[in-house]
Amino acid sequence: MAQGTVQNKDSFLNNIAEKLGRERRTTGVERPDYQKQPQWEVMADYSTDQLVEVLKKQCVEIHTDVKETSVEDLPKVLDEAIKEYGAEKASIWDDPRFSSFGLSSFAARPDVSVWGDAPEEKDIRISEQADVGITFADYTLAESGTVVLMNGGGKGQSVSLLPTYYIALIPLSTIVPRMSQVTRKIHEDAEAGERVPSCINFISGPSNSADIELNLVVGVHGPVRACYILIDDR
Amino acid sequence: MPMKIGDRSFDKRVEKGLSDTHMRETVRGAQGRLHTNKAKAEEELGNWEDWRTLSEEIRAHTLENLDYYLEQLSENVVKNGGHVYFAETPEEANAYVEEIAAKKEAKKIIKSKSMVTEEISMNEALEKQGCEVIESDLGEYILQIDDHDPPSHIVAPALHKNKEQIRETFERLKGYDKSADPSELTQFAREQLREEFLEADIGITGVNFAVAESGSISLVTNEGNARLATTIPKTQISVMGMERIVPTWEELDVMVNMLCRSAVGQKLTSYITGLTGPREEGDLDGPEEFHLVIVDNGRSNILGTAFQSALHCIRCAACINVCPVYRHVGGHSYGSIYPGPIGAVLSPLLEGYEDHKELPYASSLCAACTDACPVKIPLHEHLIEHRKIIAEEEKKTSLGETYAMKGFGIAASSPGLFNMATKTAPLMFSPFSKEGTINKGPGPLGGWTDVRSFPAPEKERFRDWFKNRKKEDS
Ligand code: SF4
């Protein structure tokens, strides 16, 4: 990737240093040892089963349907979920987990389009016209009922956004207590010099708005309904 | 729209606010609900005070080292292939964005909610250049089609409108023919806006927090419009106030948690999106070009002053949602896109006292705002500080007339306001207060603070008081 450009940096930052009444700082700033770090206490000693319970409860709050299945039954359960939404066309990630979780024949169906398979960037339109978008979760946050998607390449960000419905496939091995565990991992990768994926989404249920008299309306610009399929992969 | 909204005087705005029963009912209900939700979200965590302490520490450290973190941010954006523009003034920021729009021959620009672009009137600048600029946040969309009605709340900008008014607007301007049911209204907006997204040449967003260590920005939303604006258009421009930054993803976690809980009482909003643009090799969506515009517009003048902590603000609106004065007069009365306690602190700092000199008096100093603030900004103390400065200034400028500090303005006039607040106002602060009644001399601040001893406060409601005051004046 070619380097970008930056303009007016020095005058801008010199002014800040001056207003702060000191020399400009370009090195040597360490993050403080924060006195309180309550984020690490949240559900610190919970087992996976306990975290799953928390997640399921939270899904009620965020208007998200939940199904539970074994790896073996996943194709059947996924089919049910799609039928319940009355969906036909599906848009899915190009993700090896579809085959490792026994969904190869599902991915090969004619009414299922795999992200990146269309010629000349038609994917956005295809995804837009799909009834349901389906992705795996890379991480899952119990506290907030959130699936974390590390988008990029075959894992297009449109798939979880443009179709009318969204289904997240959640292997139980991806569950952590809260956002802190995931942001720490991203922080460690960034510190090691890795480029952070161009789009990371923390998705908690369907889109919604309370802009009209603070009445909650589920389904605005993103999916209008969402379903989490919890897969026991232990 | 610049920060300042409308040309009406403060008195006129308040009067209008008080006479708008629709608005007042809607605001009252909304405030109550938002406040209850936040209280629940605090309770769930159990140790809210520890979270506030941590958040304050993060914000203070970041602002103390702002030059360092902004430099790190810009270097990382550039390394990833994005472009950074540091803009001291609104003119510089707008000129840069206009230049991109011209280069891209952009016709349609889709925006997700951004207070800072309102602050610098970016829409107007782009429209002058012939671009069609479409607001996609539902609240902003409602305001935009209704002849650019100004926002009245920083989280729920159309809070002052009720659903019947919105239905009527949609019907009159967009040919809507369904009911005033919020679901139907929302569905209609979704359909209207979907095509716009698909056709837009440029997506413009604000920034909730930038992350210095990786050159990322984060967007905290519920509707999904910010995701659309950063997924489909080929060019993305994100505009941030220079203080909206955290050192690493670890601090992002904490700040996002506080923002979501304090703003809407959710653990996390539906979408927290971390963008490290532009798209990478092999990506088939997301912008090909990414620009980050970092705006000062008066913020640096706050650094190194007694008001520095005002820059810790994460724009959650919790202070607005507990403010008894806001509840009575509504957002438009403040005459600034930043209403409520934070607006009363910030507007004079960013735009000077001239246009906003009444705002520091639009408070009961009950400190409910300070208690609600997730990053512990001492809002009521800042308001006192403002009053001192205004009083000093007036001593200097009003030839021979001596004005000491003024009384407590509106809220102290009404026991109803006191009761709504969670604490008794610290009346002992005022040199003019005697056990709950306030006496003061003539006020130079419009008529606003010109309140003689407050008469039998428990019998008089704020609106009656305001009416009587007007009568006495005339
Ligand atoms: S001042 Fe505090 S409470 Fe008010 S909007 Fe800012 S962060 Fe929220």
Side-chain angles (χ1 to χ4, degrees):
Chain A
M1 178 62 69
Q3 286 242 334
T5 56
V6 59
Q7 294 177 54
N8 299 347
K9 183 179 80 178
D10 287 321
S11 58
F12 192 99
L13 298 182
N14 288 340
N15 176 47
I16 289 178
E18 196 188 313
K19 295 280 164 57
L20 285 167
R22 55 161 176 74
E23 295 287 298
R24 173 122 159 242
R25 285 186 186 152
T26 53
T27 51
V29 174
E30 297 282 335
R31 293 191 294 151
D33 262 332
Y34 298 113
Q35 296 161 32
K36 303 277 182 190
Q37 303 198 22
Q39 69 273 42
W40 304 110
E41 292 158 24
V42 180
M43 295 182 260
D45 52 357
Y46 276 37
S47 67
T48 300
D49 285 330
Q50 283 173 303
L51 292 176
V52 169
E53 282 318 302
V54 173
L55 173 70
K56 280 170 22 190
K57 240 168 108 192
Q58 177 60 13
C59 284
V60 178
E61 300 234 342
I62 60 173
H63 311 273
T64 298
D65 304 317
V66 176
K67 289 184 182 292
E68 293 176 89
T69 177
S70 60
V71 177
E72 204 181 22
D73 288 339
L74 175 60
K76 197 177 83 210
V77 173
L78 175 60
D79 235 14
E80 274 167 26
I82 293 172
K83 287 215 179 82
E84 277 167 30
Y85 283 156
E88 283 165 15
K89 284 183 281 180
S91 167
I92 69 170
W93 272 356
D94 182 6
D95 181 335
R97 284 177 290 182
F98 278 93
S99 81
S100 61
F101 278 85
L103 294 170
S104 301
S105 55
F106 169 78
R109 282 198 212 160
D111 50 4
V112 174
S113 2
V114 178
W115 183 257
D117 276 4
E120 292 171 44
E121 298 205 344
K122 292 265 169 54
D123 301 83
I124 286 182
R125 280 283 171 181
I126 293 173
S127 202
E128 210 272 322
Q129 276 151 30
D131 304 308
V132 58
I134 304 167
T135 78
F136 275 87
D138 293 315
Y139 299 96
T140 306
L141 317 181
E143 181 190 46
S144 49
T146 306
V147 291
V148 185
L149 310 186
M150 305 294 212
N151 296 279
K155 297 158 82 179
Q157 59 199 63
S158 301
V159 177
S160 60
L161 175 66
L162 299 178
T164 316
Y165 306 105
Y166 172 55
I167 296 175
L169 305 174
I170 302 180
L172 293 191
S173 54
T174 63
I175 294 189
V176 296
R178 69 186 310 282
M179 192 169 168
S180 311
Q181 284 75 23
V182 178
T183 47
R184 170 159 281 180
K185 173 78 172 59
I186 300 169
H187 163 61
E188 285 165 358
D189 290 349
E191 224 176 15
E194 279 178 43
R195 190 203 202 273
V196 170
S198 52
C199 175
I200 301 175
N201 270 308
F202 296 78
I203 300 175
S204 310
S207 66
N208 63 79
S209 173
D211 270 354
I212 301 177
E213 288 190 21
L214 238 57
N215 279 306
L216 184 77
V217 174
V218 179
V220 194
H221 296 300
V224 301
R225 284 183 72 180
C227 175
Y228 292 171
I229 300 181
L230 309 182
I231 311 161
D232 195 341
D233 61 338
R234 288 173 294 183
Chain B
M1 167 183 323
M3 255 186 74
K4 179 180 178 227
I5 38 188
D7 288 324
R8 272 205 200 94
S9 71
F10 187 62
D11 271 359
K12 290 258 163 53
R13 296 193 305 257
V14 171
E15 209 156 11
K16 179 156 183 286
L18 285 173
S19 62
D20 186 342
T21 38
H22 275 322
M23 181 280 288
R24 287 163 46 81
E25 251 165 58
T26 315
V27 168
R28 196 172 331 126
Q31 252 198 343
R33 230 174 312 166
L34 283 165
H35 184 50
T36 314
N37 291 349
K38 174 176 181 263
K40 201 177 129 229
E42 281 176 19
E43 217 176 273
E44 279 163 2
L45 276 180
N47 43 1
W48 185 245
E49 282 311 308
D50 288 353
W51 283 91
R52 287 179 83 209
T53 304
L54 172 59
S55 305
E56 182 190 22
E57 202 180 346
I58 289 172
R59 292 304 287 147
H61 166 76
T62 310
L63 266 292
E64 275 304 326
N65 297 286
L66 187 60
D67 50 345
Y68 174 80
Y69 286 119
L70 283 174
E71 177 150 44
Q72 200 188 1
L73 171 71
S74 69
E75 277 172 0
N76 284 319
V77 171
V78 167
K79 199 161 72 190
N80 297 333
H83 305 281
V84 181
Y85 186 86
F86 285 94
E88 300 254 3
T89 65
E91 292 74 26
E92 283 173 14
N94 290 338
Y96 181 73
V97 174
E98 284 166 42
E99 193 188 305
I100 299 166
K103 229 189 271 166
K104 300 283 155 197
E105 295 175 23
K107 288 185 196 71
K108 199 169 270 191
I109 296 176
I110 195 102
K111 274 186 73 201
S112 69
K113 188 164 167 290
S114 151
M115 293 305 292
V116 68
T117 59
E118 299 258 0
E119 187 185 310
I120 64 175
S121 307
M122 183 172 282
N123 287 12
E124 286 83 340
L126 286 164
E127 279 162 2
K128 249 185 228 147
Q129 200 178 278
C131 298
E132 187 187 355
V133 184
I134 301 152
E135 292 288 351
S136 62
D137 172 86
L138 180 59
E140 297 273 357
Y141 175 73
I142 291 166
L143 297 180
Q144 187 183 38
I145 62 172
D146 194 6
D147 198 21
H148 302 271
D149 193 16
S152 66
H153 187 279
I154 59 174
V155 170
L159 193 68
H160 56 287
K161 286 198 177 323
N162 67 22
K163 57 190 183 208
E164 187 47 47
Q165 293 169 318
I166 296 166
R167 186 203 62 76
E168 190 274 326
T169 304
F170 279 12
E171 179 187 82
R172 183 162 42 86
L173 298 161
K174 295 277 166 184
Y176 177 74
D177 61 1
K178 294 204 174 111
S179 77
D181 175 41
S183 309
E184 285 191 347
L185 291 166
T186 304
Q187 174 65 22
F188 179 74
R190 173 189 168 102
E191 285 157 16
Q192 294 277 310
L193 282 163
R194 204 27 110 81
E195 266 317 296
E196 310 276 21
F197 275 111
L198 291 164
E199 287 169 7
D201 306 295
I202 296 179
I204 295 184
T205 77
V207 173
N208 285 100
F209 302 99
V211 187
E213 70 168 338
S214 58
S216 312
I217 63 151
S218 64
L219 295 167
V220 177
T221 66
N222 269 317
E223 296 181 5
N225 59 317
R227 286 189 64 194
L228 285 169
T230 56
T231 295
I232 302 175
K234 292 258 193 279
T235 303
Q236 177 191 334
I237 304 172
S238 294
V239 188
M240 62 183 268
M242 68 178 197
E243 80 285 10
R244 314 300 299 278
I245 180 171
V246 292
T248 80
W249 283 77
E250 293 202 318
E251 285 85 5
L252 179 70
D253 164 40
V254 177
M255 298 323 302
V256 161
N257 174 73
M258 296 307 271
L259 175 59
C260 297
R261 287 182 194 257
S262 304
V264 280
Q266 288 170 281
K267 296 186 179 79
L268 291 181
T269 55
S270 291
Y271 302 118
I272 313 291
T273 308
L275 296 162
T276 310
R279 71 165 75 166
E280 290 179 89
E281 191 95 14
D283 291 356
L284 297 165
D285 53 12
E288 288 169 2
E289 219 178 282
F290 170 59
H291 299 264
L292 181 62
V293 181
I294 302 172
V295 177
D296 182 331
N297 192 30
R299 287 166 172 75
S300 59
N301 294 330
I302 305 173
L303 290 171
T305 72
F307 295 103
Q308 183 163 317
S309 70
L311 292 174
H312 297 173
C313 175
I314 60 172
R315 302 287 189 270
C316 71
C319 56
I320 300 174
N321 298 336
V322 295
C323 180
V325 175
Y326 179 93
R327 188 185 192 87
H328 274 246
V329 301
H332 286 169
S333 295
Y334 293 79
S336 163
I337 59 164
Y338 299 117
I342 183 60
V345 171
L346 211 52
S347 309
L349 292 172
L350 293 178
E351 280 201 337
Y353 287 108
E354 192 48 42
D355 283 334
H356 302 290
K357 62 182 179 303
E358 298 96 343
L359 295 187
Y361 293 86
S363 160
S364 65
L365 300 182
C366 68
C369 48
T370 300
D371 288 345
C373 180
V375 293
K376 291 201 200 174
I377 301 173
L379 290 157
H380 72 292
E381 287 170 24
H382 285 328
L383 292 173
I384 293 170
E385 197 60 35
H386 271 316
R387 292 182 188 187
K388 280 190 196 153
I389 292 170
I390 293 169
E392 275 303 310
E393 274 309 301
E394 277 167 2
K395 240 192 257 169
K396 271 188 254 156
T397 53
S398 9
L399 295 166
E401 291 189 54
T402 318
Y403 297 117
M405 271 196 63
K406 303 306 171 300
F408 279 113
I410 42 177
S413 67
S414 159
L417 293 179
F418 280 132
N419 295 342
M420 261 178 286
T422 53
K423 268 191 184 171
T424 315
L427 281 170
M428 61 294 281
F429 178 80
S430 164
F432 299 107
S433 70
K434 284 185 285 185
E435 291 168 8
T437 41
I438 297 169
N439 300 286
K440 52 172 289 303
L445 301 175
W448 187 242
T449 55
D450 186 10
V451 186
R452 281 150 206 103
S453 62
F454 291 104
E458 61 285 341
K459 285 195 205 99
E460 189 175 56
R461 291 183 314 150
F462 173 79
R463 43 188 324 155
D464 301 328
W465 165 80
F466 188 79
K467 237 190 273 158
N468 291 338
R469 188 178 71 94
K470 298 300 292 177
K471 259 188 244 146
E472 281 174 31
D473 273 2
S474 55

